[in-house]
Structure formats: structure tokens, C-alpha cells
Amino acid sequence: MKLCLLLNVIDPKIGGVMIMGDRGTGKSTTVRSLVDLLPEIKVVAGDPFNSDPDDPEVMAMEVREKIFEGEKLPVLTTKITMVDLPLGATEDRVCGTIDIEKALTEGVKAFEPGLLAKANRGILYVDEVNLLDDHLVDVLLDSAASGWNTVEREGISISHPARFILIGSGNPEEGELRPQLLDRFGMHAQVGTVKDAELRVKIVEERSRFDRNPKEFRESYKAEQEKLQQQIASARSYLSFVQIDHDLRVKISKVCAELNVDGLRGDIVTNRAARALAALKGRDKVAPEDIATVIPNCLRHRLRKDPLESIDSGLLVIEKFYEVFS
């Protein structure tokens, strides 16, 4: 689970993580703690969409027009934002809506950005994603597919970039996820309850230590946290230099084909995740063990469900991997 989250921070194009597991296994805690590790990015000052001053793909229309006209825009560095999407959110709050205050006071139509605008170039986290309303799922699917959010209401027509890392968590007992939404998540992590008594005691002790003195608890992990932050920052800058051999690409696609994975998303995500892992380890070439580490998480949720199958889909992927890579 932690590795999937880190790889998505290194390469946001992997397409997010779906974390499924028993209740009380620290899924939400882990995702929310990711905020401390997020690197800084450049944004145009005062822009509600966190526009990138260098990349037209994640620029709001007004910013793009100003840059094409040769205007110099003030630039800030800020931390990547993490936006929580509550289950009870309305569609207006998610997509953005007409600014009523401006309409009444100034008599003009103006757009008030929603959560998708805030999440552009950041992380959108949905806890209990399998309980999310269908109409919100449709909105998320639309934005996640195109990278843009289009709002058409009350005579307003506006599009803005909405490229975010989609992170969802949920408990499989509370209901399955719609297959088309599941396919949108780049990686899938399965979390089980720890069975080892010693480890359980250690977790309980750490938790009570945190409750007694949160500040002291954070200080005790500060050095490790900073080391990981630097590792992520260097991996992000190093990512574009990482190569993956052609025969490894062929083998990845062979695994996907033999497992009857629908579409090509599985191949693309596995390639990206393997490169991100190599960058995290500080190497410029992908090794077969990198692929072995990430491939179950990239493909397990893309396999066709067989109701009579008792074996875990992650194990099926690993078996096929060793068969092809041997």
C-alpha cells in the first residue's frame, strides 16, 4: 500500500491507487499521512486551478491566454494539495457552480471553482469509495478520463484542467466497486489484518505513544521522514532518464495478454510503475525484480472475475509473471 502511494507521487500518470482492506487496518491514516511527504510544485500565483506556469496541458484557459500574449505571471512554489471528497458532497460542490454572490451584487455570471479545481495537480482522496453516489462516480470518471472538468449550468460554460491522483479506500464487505471506476485506478492494494501477535502489540504501543505526546512521536521519526522526502524529490527529477528494455516491455504485454486483461491500461501502468520504482531505488534501468514487485498491484483488479475461483487474483498474476519471465 505504501509503495503504491509513493510510486504515484513520483509519477502521477500511473493513475492513482485503490486500497481495499478490512476495517481498522490504517488505510485512511496512511493516505492522510502522505501529505507530509508531498514535494513542492510551481504554480501561478492567485490561480484557483493551481496552473503550471510551464505546461500548457495543466493550465487554466485565462492563464494560457495571458502567457500567449507574452504577459509575465507571478509564480509561487507550494506543496501538492490533498483534497478530501466527503461521501455527502453535492455535485455543485465537486464540479463548481455559479457564484451567487457576484451574480447578485455585480450582476455578472461568474464561476466558483469546486473540489476538482482545487485537486488539479494534486491528490483527490475518497474514503469509502464503494459507498459513493453513482452521479458523483460519473463526474469523477469523466474528469479522470479526460483530465478536464467541464461545467455547463445557468448559462455558464467553462472548462478547467482537473488532473489529479485519484486515491480511494474501502472495505470489500460494504459492497463492490463499479468495474469502470475500478479500471480507472492505476494500482490496487489489498490490505489484510496483521496476524502476528508481536507486531500487533508494537502497533498498539506506537498508537498509545502518539496519543500521549503527538509532537514527541513526530520528532522521533523526523530524520527518516526527511530522508524519504529527499528520496522522492530525487526520484521525481530522475524519472525521465529511466529506461526499460524492449524485451521486458514485450514480456509485460505477454503477461497481460495471457491473463486476458481487457484493454491496454494494464500494460501502460505496469511500465510506468516499474520505471517509478527504479527511479525510487536510484537506478537508470528497470530490472525484472522491479516488475515483479509492481505487476500484481497493477493487474489484480483488471482480471475478469470468476465466481468459482478460490485463488487470489494477485497470486494468479505472480504465477503468470514467473512463467513468462523464467
Side-chain angles (χ1 to χ4, degrees), residues 164-181:
F164 45 80
I165 303 170
L166 186 60
I167 297 179
S169 64
N171 183 352
E173 289 174 14
E174 288 162 3
E176 284 296 317
L177 208 58
R178 276 166 56 179
Q180 60 270 49
L181 181 60

Side-chain angles (χ1 to χ4, degrees), residues 16-281:
V17 193
M18 175 70 216
I19 302 164
M20 276 295 193
D22 310 332
R23 56 182 81 86
T25 44
K27 302 185 294 292
S28 313
T29 310
T30 309
V31 175
R32 292 201 168 99
S33 66
L34 190 66
V35 172
D36 296 339
L37 295 173
L38 296 177
E40 293 193 327
I41 50 168
K42 281 184 184 172
V43 297
V44 174
D47 180 62
F49 309 114
N50 303 324
S51 294
D52 187 334
D54 305 316
D55 183 3
E57 289 236 323
V58 278
M59 253 181 221
M61 292 293 188
E62 305 86 61
V63 174
R64 199 185 293 188
E65 282 161 17
K66 283 178 185 171
I67 285 177
F68 281 143
E69 284 163 14
E71 205 176 310
K72 275 297 254 182
L73 296 172
V75 174
L76 296 171
T77 48
T78 176
K79 271 207 135 165
I80 288 179
T81 48
M82 183 156 175
V83 178
D84 256 309
L85 178 65
L87 289 180
T90 62
E91 202 174 318
D92 281 4
R93 186 68 197 100
V94 176
C95 295
T97 183
I98 196 161
D99 191 334
I100 301 291
E101 193 181 340
K102 249 188 181 166
L104 293 175
T105 53
E106 298 170 31
V108 292
K109 287 177 189 166
F111 177 65
E112 192 177 319
L115 293 177
L116 290 180
K118 209 171 158 190
N120 185 37
R121 300 180 67 211
I123 291 174
L124 186 69
Y125 175 49
V126 192
D127 198 4
E128 307 293 352
V129 66
N130 42 353
L131 304 180
L132 198 63
D133 277 351
D134 273 0
H135 66 278
L136 286 183
V137 170
D138 296 336
V139 166
L140 281 186
L141 279 174
D142 197 27
S143 297
S146 62
W148 284 78
N149 173 39
T150 305
V151 181
E152 303 277 357
R153 55 185 55 157
E154 284 98 11
I156 274 193
S157 174
I158 190 165
S159 286
H160 67 79
R163 281 177 186 255
F164 45 80
I165 303 170
L166 186 60
I167 297 179
S169 64
N171 183 352
E173 289 174 14
E174 288 162 3
E176 284 296 317
L177 208 58
R178 276 166 56 179
Q180 60 270 49
L181 181 60
L182 197 52
D183 192 50
R184 281 274 166 242
F185 288 99
M187 301 179 88
H188 185 287
Q190 197 99 33
V191 188
T193 309
V194 178
K195 295 286 186 276
D196 177 19
E198 285 290 325
L199 196 50
R200 288 173 83 124
V201 170
K202 188 170 190 282
I203 294 168
V204 174
E205 282 171 355
E206 290 284 80
R207 173 71 224 216
S208 49
R209 189 161 76 90
F210 175 79
D211 288 340
R212 273 199 307 278
N213 191 340
K215 200 174 177 195
E216 192 186 288
F217 181 85
R218 281 204 177 94
E219 286 295 320
S220 67
Y221 284 107
K222 199 176 175 187
E224 283 179 62
Q225 214 49 347
E226 280 171 0
K227 188 182 164 195
L228 189 54
Q229 254 173 326
Q230 285 163 358
Q231 222 180 330
I232 290 169
S234 65
R236 273 173 73 101
S237 57
Y238 200 59
L239 182 67
S240 54
F241 303 108
V242 178
Q243 298 296 321
I244 179 163
D245 284 341
H246 180 70
D247 65 318
L248 288 183
R249 287 179 196 265
V250 172
K251 283 178 176 174
I252 289 172
S253 292
K254 196 174 175 195
V255 172
C256 294
E258 290 189 13
L259 285 168
N260 286 331
V261 174
D262 289 338
L264 293 169
R265 272 201 196 110
D267 308 48
I268 294 168
V269 169
T270 309
N271 277 288
R272 281 183 178 148
R275 286 181 60 229
L277 182 57
L280 183 64
K281 289 178 178 172

